[in-house]
Amino acid sequence: MTDDTLFNGVLLAVFASALATVLLLSWVDAPYGRHQSSGWGPTIPVRLGWVLMESPASLVFFYFYFTGQQAFQLVPLLLMVMWQLHYMHRSFIYPFQIRVKPGARTTMLVIALGSFYCGINGYLNGTYLSHYANHLTVDWLTDPRFILGVMLFGFGYYLNKRSDRMLRELREQNPGAYQIPRGFGFNWVSMPNYLGEIITWSGFALASWSLAGLSFVLFTMANLVPRALANHRWYRETFSDYPRDRKAIIPYIL
Ligand code: NDP
């Protein structure tokens, strides 16, 4: 099998598994966080779970990126930095920032599947940027797709990180409990951190103009839209005073 055949085969498999994921998560809530439940096999500490799950997206990306002939060209380098800004944080900083409920653990099956996907995602995007993306020359810096993509990435990144920080602050006020988050993106939706994540990777896909980037946005949506709907339902069932006009993930729409 050639490298090209492998790359295209994996890409196709990710598009197919995004479809399978959205179908599966429409009737099963992934067992972690507020939907953690027994009966899903062994569990591990929450922080360790995050590191193991997310770090392949950073490390595997690095490996494949630096084996490509375009690794030291300006535009691929910028996109590599954007990717790693998110993933170095998510893998090695975020797990030690979250306020974990005392004794909370997470399901190993979720971590194993997430880790496998993150490795595949790192392979696809790292490989694409430095092996295949011939259009990412310095001229691309002034292309509207790159400019708009970087702006979306920045906005999504801010929305995601600030919303996650607000949740941490809530947990600090009341350790071990869930409360109704209020303010900023929570005025409109229950899960502004998820909305920020989807905007971040839509921006990356646009800025890199790649099917690898698109596969990641679709996979992220396949994971986060059903989860946002489940969390929104959970908020409404748990808090009788939950704001009635707040949507799950898309302001005014969903
Ligand atoms: P959640 O919003 O469910 O939880 C984030 C943290 O905040 C957890 O520590 C959680 O605690 C705590 N928390 C959540 N709601 C409340 C509340 N109402 N009151 C107090 N504390 C609260 O997000 P996820 O854990 O699902 O995801 C974390 C990050 O990872 C997000 O930024 C998300 O976008 C990203 N992500 C990306 C995916 C992708 O496919 N790209 C997939 C999954 C996540 P607890 O754990 O106890 O519930």
Side-chain angles (χ1 to χ4, degrees):
M1 194 191 307
T2 67
D3 287 354
D4 293 2
T5 315
L6 177 68
F7 182 87
N8 290 329
V10 172
L11 188 57
L12 205 61
V14 169
F15 279 113
S17 53
L19 185 62
T21 300
V22 77
L23 294 176
L24 180 69
L25 295 182
S26 298
W27 58 277
V28 178
D29 296 328
Y32 75 91
R34 79 195 76 206
H35 302 289
Q36 178 71 30
S37 60
S38 56
W40 290 92
T43 58
I44 55 170
V46 171
R47 292 182 206 285
L48 175 64
W50 276 106
V51 175
L52 293 178
M53 182 164 71
E54 302 290 330
S55 55
S58 171
L59 303 177
V60 175
F61 181 103
F62 266 138
Y63 175 78
F64 285 99
Y65 181 84
F66 283 111
T67 57
Q69 69 283 4
Q70 298 179 173
F72 293 98
Q73 291 182 15
L74 181 61
V75 177
L77 268 176
L78 287 174
L79 289 160
M80 186 272 280
V81 168
M82 285 160 63
W83 181 277
Q84 294 294 351
L85 253 183
H86 176 90
Y87 268 115
M88 296 285 272
H89 178 271
R90 177 69 83 227
S91 311
F92 304 114
I93 298 175
Y94 177 80
F96 303 99
Q97 291 179 320
I98 44 175
R99 302 289 178 255
V100 179
K101 282 195 290 180
R105 296 174 67 85
T106 199
T107 308
M108 255 171 85
L109 178 65
V110 172
I111 301 306
L113 291 173
S115 176
F116 179 69
Y117 171 70
C118 281
I120 296 281
N121 194 27
Y123 157 72
L124 283 177
N125 281 281
T127 301
Y128 181 77
L129 291 182
S130 73
H131 293 252
Y132 294 120
N134 298 325
H135 62 294
L136 298 181
T137 61
V138 280
D139 291 345
W140 187 251
L141 286 173
T142 52
D143 190 289
R145 287 166 288 187
F146 182 74
I147 295 168
L148 184 62
V150 170
M151 285 165 60
L152 277 178
F153 181 93
F155 173 70
Y157 190 91
Y158 176 66
L159 179 60
N160 174 259
K161 298 288 177 290
R162 183 161 167 193
S163 310
D164 277 343
R165 194 181 71 220
M166 290 173 73
L167 292 173
R168 279 200 300 280
E169 288 166 358
L170 267 190
R171 196 41 79 70
E172 276 161 17
Q173 288 164 17
N174 199 347
Y178 290 99
Q179 299 178 75
I180 302 179
R182 296 184 194 274
F184 189 55
F186 292 101
N187 286 329
W188 286 280
V189 292
S190 295
M191 303 303 297
N193 51 347
Y194 290 2
L195 177 61
E197 185 97 26
I198 291 169
I199 295 173
T200 300
W201 298 115
S202 303
F204 186 87
L206 188 60
S208 61
W209 199 245
S210 69
L211 286 176
L214 180 66
S215 76
F216 184 24
V217 181
L218 294 181
F219 203 87
T220 297
M221 290 171 72
N223 260 303
L224 296 186
V225 173
R227 180 83 178 182
L229 294 173
N231 288 354
H232 186 63
R233 234 178 357 257
W234 178 92
Y235 272 123
R236 287 181 155 209
E237 288 163 6
T238 308
F239 299 103
S240 56
D241 56 339
Y242 197 69
R244 302 305 299 173
D245 51 353
R246 196 180 287 186
K247 294 290 184 184
I249 185 161
I250 302 176
Y252 306 111
I253 297 173
L254 184 67

